[in-house]
Every structure is written in structure tokens, then in C-alpha cells.
Amino acid sequence: MANVTFRGQFIIWLSFIIALILQAAPWPGELAPFRPSWVLLVTFYWVLALPHRVNVGTALVLGLLWDLMLGSTLGVRGLMMAILVYIVALNFQLLRNMSYWQQALLLALLTLAGKLIEFWAEYLVSNVQFNPEQLWAGVLNFILWPWIFLLLRRLRRRFAIR
């Protein structure tokens, strides 16, 4: 039983590491505003699928790793991830019963809220300018969510992660 639990945790954290690598991968300058929030997509899936394993603490750690990886103000993305995952975890049963496209719409709105939280937190500690082009990430998250959901669900069922 312990081996199955360890394997499940390993697969979950491997998906987080892949999401962090995809988040750090460089994009061409003109396409940079369209970069999806891979870490948010993967985290939201695992919170919806296994809220007893992936929760606000996991989101805070991932957000801090994301900040360290980008070299930005420590805690900005951790705060944003913790707030958004709290909202998702609080309503996970309602979100589970929605269709993929309804989930994608809510995920896009949460991504937009996350970008605003991120800007607000950065603005409190330094002088930053709001870039409205960053909001395109919500649209791309909307498009990618059904595919990410189906891919991670297949992975979860293949390795019997509970």
C-alpha cells in the first residue's frame, strides 16, 4: 500500500515539475503574452481530482518555487496560487459536476483574477506597470483546459492514483 501511495505522489510531483519547466521555457517575444499558466492548469486539475492530497499548502510551495524560478519577488505567486486554490478547493464538488467548457470558463476567470492579484502584490512592493496583454493567458488557459484535464485524468487512471 505504501508503494502505491509513493508512486502516486511521485506522479503528481512529476507533473508539477513538468509544468514548472514548461512555465520557464522561453517563448518568442511576440508570443510571450499568450503563454498559458501551466502551473495553474496542473494544480487546478489535481485539486479537483484529489483535494485531500493537493491543497493550499501545495499551491503555496509551487508558487514559491515559481517565484524562485523567475527571480521575482518571493511570495507573489505563492499568494496568488494559495488564494486561487483555496477558492477551487472550497468549491471542488461543484466544479467537478460542471462540463469541461464550464470548468474552462471558470478557470479562465480565475486566471484573470490571479493575474490581477499578482499585479497587486507586485505593486505593493515595487513600482510596476500593468500590462493588459498578460490577460491573454486566460484565453489560452480556456482553450487548453479540456485537453489538460483529459490528459491528466488518463494519467491518474493509468497509474491508479487515489
Side-chain angles (χ1 to χ4, degrees), residues 16-26 35-40 60-78 81:
F16 288 145
I17 290 169
I18 291 170
L20 284 167
I21 290 170
L22 287 172
Q23 196 69 46
R35 177 192 314 251
S37 298
W38 296 106
V39 179
L40 278 177
L60 182 63
V61 169
L62 282 172
L64 292 174
L65 288 174
W66 192 359
D67 282 332
L68 286 173
M69 187 180 61
L70 294 179
S72 65
T73 307
L74 189 61
V76 169
R77 283 168 189 78
M81 292 275 293

Side-chain angles (χ1 to χ4, degrees), residues 43-112:
T43 307
F44 284 165
Y45 172 77
W46 288 116
V47 169
L48 285 176
L50 303 169
H52 60 281
R53 283 213 181 167
V54 179
N55 50 31
V56 177
T58 309
L60 182 63
V61 169
L62 282 172
L64 292 174
L65 288 174
W66 192 359
D67 282 332
L68 286 173
M69 187 180 61
L70 294 179
S72 65
T73 307
L74 189 61
V76 169
R77 283 168 189 78
L79 172 71
M80 179 259 303
M81 292 275 293
I83 291 171
L84 296 181
V85 166
Y86 176 75
I87 293 169
V88 171
L90 194 62
N91 300 306
F92 81 96
Q93 290 177 334
L94 175 69
L95 293 171
R96 266 191 192 170
N97 291 318
M98 292 181 172
S99 70
Y100 299 137
W101 294 109
Q102 289 173 328
Q103 289 177 359
L105 181 61
L106 283 173
L107 180 78
L109 292 174
L110 285 172
T111 302
L112 296 177

Side-chain angles (χ1 to χ4, degrees), residues 109-120:
L109 292 174
L110 285 172
T111 302
L112 296 177
K115 292 291 182 183
L116 293 175
I117 292 169
E118 193 177 314
F119 167 72
W120 171 76

